[in-house]
Amino acid sequence: MKKHQLKAKEIPLNDSYDVIVVGGGPSGCTAAAAAAREGAKTLLIEATSSLGGMGTTGLVPLWAPFSDKKRIIYCGMAQQVCERSKAGMAHVKKDDLVWLPIDPELLKRIYDDLVIGSGAEILFNALMGSVEVENGDVTAIIVASKSGLTAYKAEVFIDASGDADLAAWAGAKFQKGDGKSGELMPATHCFTLANVDEYSYKTSVLDWWDSTPGSWRHSMVRKYPGLTDGHMCNAHVGPGVIGFNAGHIWDVDNTCPESVSKALVEGRKIACEFRKALAEFHPAFKNSFLVNTGSLLGIRETRRIIGDYVLTIDDYMARRSFKDEISRNSYPIDIHAAKNEIGKAKTGKLNVMERYEQFKAGESHGIPYRCLTPKGIRNVLVSGRSVSCDRLVQGSIRVMPNCLCMGEAAGIAGAMALRKQNDVHAINTDALRSRLKKNGAYLP
């Protein structure tokens, strides 16, 4: 790529914050709220016009389970978000904890209230474009907005970008994809259908993965070439409204804007194809209407930082606990089909969640604090799907309940680091765990 030399010029500087969080998805929201509640002056910078990431702007229609099949284990702020979400949806039972539907507009307001109510500030429609580093410290980030470029300084930064942008641009080492060919899990462009016949929807099972030869789903996928496979997660999100996390788009890298741009165009076509196919093959969708596609593409993986500890598949299989664990996880390993497995996916012979031993009721493993601290950078924490782990484990811990819990821990830790010369590696993890427990975290 050719290089262009920018003309040197001064840009405005804002150095009024203790902690800056980049990215307003689930982990960024709880990180900002937790840091502010601990007394740190906190700013949350979000590239879009609302908080919530994939659960709101991305239209993912339902939460991964909040329980280990015995009790809720994603607690603290995660539980608060869960309970408020359920309370605003009349068709959801109070004691439900598994595959809860999401009302994206309700969830936007929940996150607004959580972050602003904590005392943190939000800057929407602002995109981080550069990171300045000096002797292992991030000294400033350059943010582009309608005001132009602004430099933001803070003592501690929390990278909740989903792609570890801040950490990677600051020089943190990372892994990406399968480590061999670099292949990433496929993306999904979520969408919403309205004017659905609820009686037919509830009485005719719409399985998430079924395209068994001979079934109507198999016939549908074969007839409509735009439907690459039988993946069709769905949820009843409101009166006559069904949300879909359906289909796959391969060769998408969220750190490459060109590939994301192409995938968004393809995803909108796939959503339209799904509506046409369902209208023909399922009575509930005969008169359905494609209301919306996600403004964000559903990305499952990109970078994973190399932290002070790398969580491995052996830790997952052993249901391992750690002295510095900041949350627990009981979600199964969910690696979506690689491109060379499209044939199996299309015929319904591929069920990714059956490849690895599943959690039994009451089982979970710990996520260590050290997975949030990138090696070689003193004042940056990473939260969300890009924390330090191997690829298989990332397929388990990337879901939203985990991100909520990791974010809360990162926010408290970021505030604690202010008393440790901003060194996120030096905080007392016993004190961090004690604070999390006081806030309701499940840490056996």
Side-chain angles (χ1 to χ4, degrees):
M1 181 181 290
K2 294 180 180 179
K3 303 294 184 180
H4 175 74
Q5 183 66 46
L6 288 174
K7 292 182 179 179
K9 68 174 184 177
E10 292 186 351
I11 62 174
L13 169 66
N14 187 323
D15 60 356
S16 60
Y17 297 99
D18 301 316
V19 174
I20 291 179
V21 181
V22 176
S27 69
C29 289
T30 52
R37 287 183 183 180
E38 294 296 309
K41 188 173 182 183
T42 304
L43 175 66
L44 173 56
I45 296 175
E46 166 55 30
T48 71
S49 57
S50 65
L51 300 177
M54 291 316 304
T56 57
T57 315
L59 294 183
V60 168
L62 69 178
W63 294 98
F66 276 84
S67 79
D68 63 1
K69 302 176 185 175
K70 280 191 174 182
R71 56 153 293 163
I72 185 168
I73 66 168
Y74 303 95
C75 300
M77 287 186 180
Q79 184 173 3
Q80 295 170 25
V81 171
C82 172
E83 296 298 333
R84 286 199 60 192
S85 181
K86 287 194 295 182
M89 304 182 76
H91 63 295
V92 179
K93 297 177 182 177
K94 290 183 179 180
D95 57 351
D96 284 349
L97 290 171
V98 178
W99 300 117
L100 302 169
I102 295 173
D103 176 342
E105 289 302 319
L106 168 63
L107 188 55
K108 288 177 186 178
R109 298 192 301 275
I110 291 171
Y111 283 132
D112 285 342
D113 292 344
L114 176 70
V115 175
I116 294 172
S118 72
E121 297 176 31
I122 305 170
L123 185 65
F124 287 123
N125 298 319
L127 186 67
M128 183 185 71
S130 183
V131 177
E132 296 187 351
V133 185
E134 189 175 306
N135 299 322
D137 276 11
V138 171
T139 56
I141 59 174
I142 309 302
V143 174
S145 70
K146 294 296 286 186
S147 297
L149 299 179
T150 303
Y152 285 87
K153 285 194 172 186
E155 304 299 323
V156 174
F157 293 86
I158 299 176
D159 184 344
S161 65
D163 301 308
D165 290 335
L166 193 159
W169 296 354
K173 292 183 179 179
F174 60 87
Q175 296 176 326
K176 191 175 180 182
D178 63 5
K180 298 176 182 177
S181 64
E183 184 170 54
L184 300 165
M185 280 191 280
T188 295
H189 201 180
C190 297
F191 59 92
T192 305
L193 299 183
N195 200 35
V196 176
D197 184 326
E198 289 192 24
Y199 178 79
S200 296
Y201 174 75
K202 292 176 182 177
T203 55
S204 302
V205 176
L206 189 58
D207 291 329
W208 290 4
W209 279 96
D210 181 28
S211 53
T212 306
S215 67
W216 68 268
R217 284 276 291 280
H218 182 253
S219 300
M220 183 184 79
V221 171
R222 287 174 64 86
K223 180 172 181 178
Y224 286 84
L227 309 185
T228 53
D229 53 65
H231 172 237
M232 201 184 298
C233 302
N234 59 92
H236 180 202
V237 300
V241 178
I242 308 300
F244 284 86
N245 175 355
H248 288 115
I249 307 171
W250 281 269
D251 296 327
V252 183
D253 181 348
N254 206 47
T255 67
C256 173
E258 292 83 3
S259 76
V260 173
S261 299
K262 291 178 182 178
L264 285 165
V265 173
E266 182 180 351
R268 287 190 276 271
K269 292 178 181 178
I270 291 173
C272 182
E273 193 95 329
F274 264 112
R275 195 221 66 84
K276 292 177 182 178
L278 284 166
E280 178 179 347
F281 281 90
H282 195 292
F285 299 93
K286 182 178 179 180
N287 298 308
S288 64
F289 174 72
L290 177 59
V291 176
N292 201 6
T293 54
S295 299
L296 285 177
L297 196 63
I299 300 296
R300 294 182 170 90
E301 66 168 335
T302 51
R303 304 183 186 102
R304 307 183 309 277
I305 63 156
I306 303 298
D308 292 324
Y309 185 83
V310 179
L311 195 67
T312 69
I313 184 61
D314 290 336
D315 297 325
Y316 172 97
M317 297 299 290
R319 309 329 192 213
R320 190 157 288 139
S321 296
F322 302 87
K323 290 183 178 180
D324 65 332
E325 69 186 30
I326 43 85
S327 61
R328 303 287 296 185
N329 170 51
S330 65
Y331 188 69
I333 290 176
D334 183 3
I335 303 290
H336 284 238
K339 194 172 184 180
N340 62 8
E341 297 174 306
I342 295 175
K344 291 181 181 179
K346 198 172 180 70
T347 59
K349 294 179 180 178
L350 179 70
N351 188 333
V352 291
M353 289 190 183
E354 291 180 355
R355 296 179 179 183
Y356 303 96
E357 182 182 344
Q358 303 300 295
F359 288 101
K360 297 181 177 66
E363 289 186 340
S364 62
H365 71 82
I367 299 177
Y369 171 72
R370 290 166 291 161
C371 292
L372 280 59
T373 52
K375 283 186 175 180
I377 303 179
R378 203 170 67 96
N379 65 334
V380 172
L381 285 156
V382 174
S383 181
R385 62 176 167 83
S386 52
V387 298
S388 179
C389 60
D390 67 24
R391 192 188 190 216
L392 291 176
V393 172
Q394 195 272 350
S396 170
I397 67 172
R398 62 183 171 81
V399 294
M400 291 187 288
N402 274 318
C403 291
L404 288 168
C405 290
M406 289 188 283
E408 182 173 5
I412 296 173
M416 292 175 65
L418 299 175
R419 301 185 290 274
K420 293 289 184 179
Q421 291 76 49
N422 310 326
D423 188 349
V424 299
H425 306 266
I427 71 160
N428 184 325
T429 55
D430 289 338
L432 170 61
R433 283 168 46 82
S434 177
R435 188 68 179 143
L436 286 166
K437 286 182 179 180
K438 186 177 180 180
N439 292 347
Y442 174 68
L443 292 172

